[in-house]
Amino acid sequence: MGAIRWVGFDGDDTLWKSEDYYRAAERDFESVLGGYIDLSDRRTLDHLLEVERRNLKVFGYGVKGMTLSMIEAAIELTGERISAADLHRIVEIGRATLAHPVELIDGIRSAVEAIAAEHAVVLITKGDLFHQEDKIARSGLADLFHRIEIVSEKDPSTYARVLRELGTDPDGFVMIGNSLRSDIAPVIELGGWGIHMPYHVTWALENEHGLAGDEARLRAVVGAAELPAALREIVALATAG
């Protein structure tokens, strides 16, 4: 309704829980390395984060990229002393993370249904194609969306392409997500709108963004139940503008 034509939703940690399982995988990773290094003296997870950062353009986002980065970090941190058996344990950490249950964020189905009753809705999620397809299927939410996009990166050029295909200008689009870096900042840079719904834990790389705290095109909510009202406020502003 109004000037807003499409509303986008992120997947991981917006529709369903995800980062908790990555954090559990990191703890299991540390338990493997504890047999080789003093975890109190070596910044194991800091090193893993830097390995993941440099590998993003090669491995992309998701569990498979994380697992490959864990293997590389383990080899580096142990001075190549890690055994094949323990490398296999790291592979199993990744396999278990891929199989984690899909648990919806509280109230999110009702929120998506309410918004979809008034707007066209699109799911825009990034990560490994197979894993994202599996989570979408198991979430039970796929039928609510008019379109689903699985992308390798969420940046201005990706959003610009999606918006062209949706047939809307950026100022007719609102993106809802937990990550300011990936879900909100690129859309606002293009001239769109954003609703930030923080999750209780966020991957460190997703905290890196350049948004101002008083961004006029951004609204924040504390839970899914507040999403329809926040969207109505944006619709009113967009229509008035």
Side-chain angles (χ1 to χ4, degrees), residues 120-139:
V121 290
V122 55
L123 169 55
I124 307 175
T125 186
K126 74 178 179 185
D128 177 76
L129 176 63
F130 292 164
H131 195 204
Q132 291 296 322
E133 286 180 336
D134 178 60
K135 286 191 284 189
I136 292 167
R138 288 191 287 138
S139 75

mmCIF file of all heavy atoms in Angstrom, residues 120-139:
data_model
loop_
_atom_site.group_PDB
_atom_site.id
_atom_site.type_symbol
_atom_site.label_atom_id
_atom_site.label_comp_id
_atom_site.label_asym_id
_atom_site.label_seq_id
_atom_site.Cartn_x
_atom_site.Cartn_y
_atom_site.Cartn_z
ATOM 1 N N ALA A 120 3.632 -7.047 -1.406
ATOM 2 C CA ALA A 120 4.387 -8.160 -1.971
ATOM 3 C C ALA A 120 5.639 -8.348 -1.122
ATOM 4 O O ALA A 120 6.301 -7.379 -0.748
ATOM 5 C CB ALA A 120 4.769 -7.866 -3.420
ATOM 6 N N VAL A 121 5.964 -9.599 -0.781
ATOM 7 C CA VAL A 121 7.106 -9.866 0.097
ATOM 8 C C VAL A 121 8.099 -10.787 -0.614
ATOM 9 O O VAL A 121 7.713 -11.720 -1.329
ATOM 10 C CB VAL A 121 6.668 -10.488 1.439
ATOM 11 C CG1 VAL A 121 5.929 -9.462 2.284
ATOM 12 C CG2 VAL A 121 5.804 -11.725 1.241
ATOM 13 N N VAL A 122 9.373 -10.493 -0.396
ATOM 14 C CA VAL A 122 10.460 -11.257 -1.002
ATOM 15 C C VAL A 122 11.423 -11.675 0.101
ATOM 16 O O VAL A 122 11.741 -10.896 0.986
ATOM 17 C CB VAL A 122 11.182 -10.450 -2.100
ATOM 18 C CG1 VAL A 122 11.689 -9.113 -1.575
ATOM 19 C CG2 VAL A 122 12.334 -11.244 -2.711
ATOM 20 N N LEU A 123 11.867 -12.918 0.045
ATOM 21 C CA LEU A 123 12.901 -13.411 0.947
ATOM 22 C C LEU A 123 14.235 -13.265 0.238
ATOM 23 O O LEU A 123 14.432 -13.796 -0.865
ATOM 24 C CB LEU A 123 12.642 -14.877 1.304
ATOM 25 C CG LEU A 123 13.743 -15.648 2.029
ATOM 26 C CD1 LEU A 123 14.165 -14.946 3.310
ATOM 27 C CD2 LEU A 123 13.294 -17.073 2.316
ATOM 28 N N ILE A 124 15.161 -12.529 0.850
ATOM 29 C CA ILE A 124 16.505 -12.339 0.293
ATOM 30 C C ILE A 124 17.502 -12.831 1.336
ATOM 31 O O ILE A 124 17.700 -12.192 2.370
ATOM 32 C CB ILE A 124 16.781 -10.867 -0.057
ATOM 33 C CG1 ILE A 124 15.678 -10.295 -0.951
ATOM 34 C CG2 ILE A 124 18.142 -10.738 -0.744
ATOM 35 C CD1 ILE A 124 15.829 -8.807 -1.249
ATOM 36 N N THR A 125 18.103 -13.972 1.077
ATOM 37 C CA THR A 125 19.015 -14.575 2.035
ATOM 38 C C THR A 125 20.316 -14.924 1.343
ATOM 39 O O THR A 125 20.335 -15.235 0.147
ATOM 40 C CB THR A 125 18.367 -15.822 2.684
ATOM 41 O OG1 THR A 125 19.210 -16.326 3.707
ATOM 42 C CG2 THR A 125 18.103 -16.909 1.656
ATOM 43 N N LYS A 126 21.411 -14.871 2.083
ATOM 44 C CA LYS A 126 22.715 -15.173 1.497
ATOM 45 C C LYS A 126 23.313 -16.407 2.157
ATOM 46 O O LYS A 126 22.985 -16.760 3.284
ATOM 47 C CB LYS A 126 23.665 -13.983 1.631
ATOM 48 C CG LYS A 126 24.214 -13.747 3.029
ATOM 49 C CD LYS A 126 25.178 -12.571 3.042
ATOM 50 C CE LYS A 126 25.693 -12.328 4.467
ATOM 51 N NZ LYS A 126 26.538 -11.137 4.558
ATOM 52 N N GLY A 127 24.221 -17.042 1.421
ATOM 53 C CA GLY A 127 24.902 -18.215 1.957
ATOM 54 C C GLY A 127 24.967 -19.328 0.933
ATOM 55 O O GLY A 127 24.697 -19.137 -0.261
ATOM 56 N N ASP A 128 25.323 -20.507 1.407
ATOM 57 C CA ASP A 128 25.424 -21.681 0.547
ATOM 58 C C ASP A 128 24.049 -22.042 -0.030
ATOM 59 O O ASP A 128 23.061 -22.143 0.700
ATOM 60 C CB ASP A 128 25.975 -22.855 1.349
ATOM 61 C CG ASP A 128 26.037 -24.138 0.545
ATOM 62 O OD1 ASP A 128 26.941 -24.263 -0.289
ATOM 63 O OD2 ASP A 128 25.150 -24.996 0.735
ATOM 64 N N LEU A 129 23.989 -22.241 -1.330
ATOM 65 C CA LEU A 129 22.710 -22.463 -2.012
ATOM 66 C C LEU A 129 21.964 -23.667 -1.434
ATOM 67 O O LEU A 129 20.779 -23.567 -1.086
ATOM 68 C CB LEU A 129 22.949 -22.667 -3.507
ATOM 69 C CG LEU A 129 21.716 -22.995 -4.351
ATOM 70 C CD1 LEU A 129 20.705 -21.857 -4.325
ATOM 71 C CD2 LEU A 129 22.120 -23.318 -5.785
ATOM 72 N N PHE A 130 22.634 -24.820 -1.326
ATOM 73 C CA PHE A 130 21.955 -26.028 -0.863
ATOM 74 C C PHE A 130 21.450 -25.866 0.565
ATOM 75 O O PHE A 130 20.332 -26.265 0.892
ATOM 76 C CB PHE A 130 22.893 -27.234 -0.946
ATOM 77 C CG PHE A 130 23.241 -27.654 -2.339
ATOM 78 C CD1 PHE A 130 24.312 -28.499 -2.578
ATOM 79 C CD2 PHE A 130 22.499 -27.222 -3.424
ATOM 80 C CE1 PHE A 130 24.644 -28.893 -3.869
ATOM 81 C CE2 PHE A 130 22.808 -27.609 -4.723
ATOM 82 C CZ PHE A 130 23.895 -28.447 -4.931
ATOM 83 N N HIS A 131 22.288 -25.285 1.433
ATOM 84 C CA HIS A 131 21.898 -25.135 2.832
ATOM 85 C C HIS A 131 20.734 -24.165 2.969
ATOM 86 O O HIS A 131 19.786 -24.419 3.724
ATOM 87 C CB HIS A 131 23.096 -24.660 3.658
ATOM 88 C CG HIS A 131 22.898 -24.806 5.128
ATOM 89 N ND1 HIS A 131 23.579 -24.030 6.054
ATOM 90 C CD2 HIS A 131 22.088 -25.620 5.869
ATOM 91 C CE1 HIS A 131 23.207 -24.380 7.273
ATOM 92 N NE2 HIS A 131 22.311 -25.330 7.189
ATOM 93 N N GLN A 132 20.770 -23.059 2.250
ATOM 94 C CA GLN A 132 19.675 -22.093 2.326
ATOM 95 C C GLN A 132 18.390 -22.679 1.763
ATOM 96 O O GLN A 132 17.306 -22.479 2.327
ATOM 97 C CB GLN A 132 20.044 -20.811 1.587
ATOM 98 C CG GLN A 132 21.133 -19.986 2.250
ATOM 99 C CD GLN A 132 20.717 -19.460 3.609
ATOM 100 O OE1 GLN A 132 19.565 -19.071 3.819
ATOM 101 N NE2 GLN A 132 21.648 -19.431 4.546
ATOM 102 N N GLU A 133 18.472 -23.397 0.654
ATOM 103 C CA GLU A 133 17.272 -24.040 0.101
ATOM 104 C C GLU A 133 16.666 -25.012 1.102
ATOM 105 O O GLU A 133 15.439 -25.069 1.267
ATOM 106 C CB GLU A 133 17.626 -24.777 -1.200
ATOM 107 C CG GLU A 133 17.863 -23.877 -2.386
ATOM 108 C CD GLU A 133 18.196 -24.653 -3.639
ATOM 109 O OE1 GLU A 133 18.688 -25.808 -3.525
ATOM 110 O OE2 GLU A 133 17.987 -24.118 -4.746
ATOM 111 N N ASP A 134 17.529 -25.760 1.786
ATOM 112 C CA ASP A 134 17.054 -26.732 2.766
ATOM 113 C C ASP A 134 16.369 -26.037 3.942
ATOM 114 O O ASP A 134 15.296 -26.464 4.394
ATOM 115 C CB ASP A 134 18.233 -27.576 3.256
ATOM 116 C CG ASP A 134 17.830 -28.584 4.319
ATOM 117 O OD1 ASP A 134 16.979 -29.438 4.022
ATOM 118 O OD2 ASP A 134 18.374 -28.525 5.441
ATOM 119 N N LYS A 135 16.983 -24.949 4.446
ATOM 120 C CA LYS A 135 16.390 -24.243 5.570
ATOM 121 C C LYS A 135 15.060 -23.592 5.190
ATOM 122 O O LYS A 135 14.101 -23.600 5.983
ATOM 123 C CB LYS A 135 17.369 -23.208 6.122
ATOM 124 C CG LYS A 135 18.504 -23.823 6.915
ATOM 125 C CD LYS A 135 19.307 -22.790 7.682
ATOM 126 C CE LYS A 135 20.228 -22.001 6.801
ATOM 127 N NZ LYS A 135 21.155 -21.154 7.593
ATOM 128 N N ILE A 136 14.997 -23.037 3.999
ATOM 129 C CA ILE A 136 13.738 -22.429 3.538
ATOM 130 C C ILE A 136 12.641 -23.486 3.470
ATOM 131 O O ILE A 136 11.511 -23.272 3.934
ATOM 132 C CB ILE A 136 13.936 -21.754 2.167
ATOM 133 C CG1 ILE A 136 14.838 -20.529 2.306
ATOM 134 C CG2 ILE A 136 12.596 -21.362 1.559
ATOM 135 C CD1 ILE A 136 15.352 -19.989 0.986
ATOM 136 N N ALA A 137 12.968 -24.651 2.920
ATOM 137 C CA ALA A 137 11.967 -25.721 2.804
ATOM 138 C C ALA A 137 11.505 -26.188 4.176
ATOM 139 O O ALA A 137 10.307 -26.403 4.411
ATOM 140 C CB ALA A 137 12.550 -26.886 2.014
ATOM 141 N N ARG A 138 12.446 -26.341 5.111
ATOM 142 C CA ARG A 138 12.098 -26.851 6.439
ATOM 143 C C ARG A 138 11.445 -25.796 7.332
ATOM 144 O O ARG A 138 10.813 -26.140 8.331
ATOM 145 C CB ARG A 138 13.344 -27.417 7.129
ATOM 146 C CG ARG A 138 13.822 -28.730 6.517
ATOM 147 C CD ARG A 138 14.871 -29.401 7.383
ATOM 148 N NE ARG A 138 16.154 -28.725 7.316
ATOM 149 C CZ ARG A 138 16.944 -28.499 8.362
ATOM 150 N NH1 ARG A 138 16.550 -28.855 9.577
ATOM 151 N NH2 ARG A 138 18.109 -27.905 8.212
ATOM 152 N N SER A 139 11.587 -24.527 6.951
ATOM 153 C CA SER A 139 11.000 -23.460 7.774
ATOM 154 C C SER A 139 9.480 -23.432 7.715
ATOM 155 O O SER A 139 8.820 -22.930 8.631
ATOM 156 C CB SER A 139 11.539 -22.091 7.326
ATOM 157 O OG SER A 139 10.943 -21.684 6.101
#
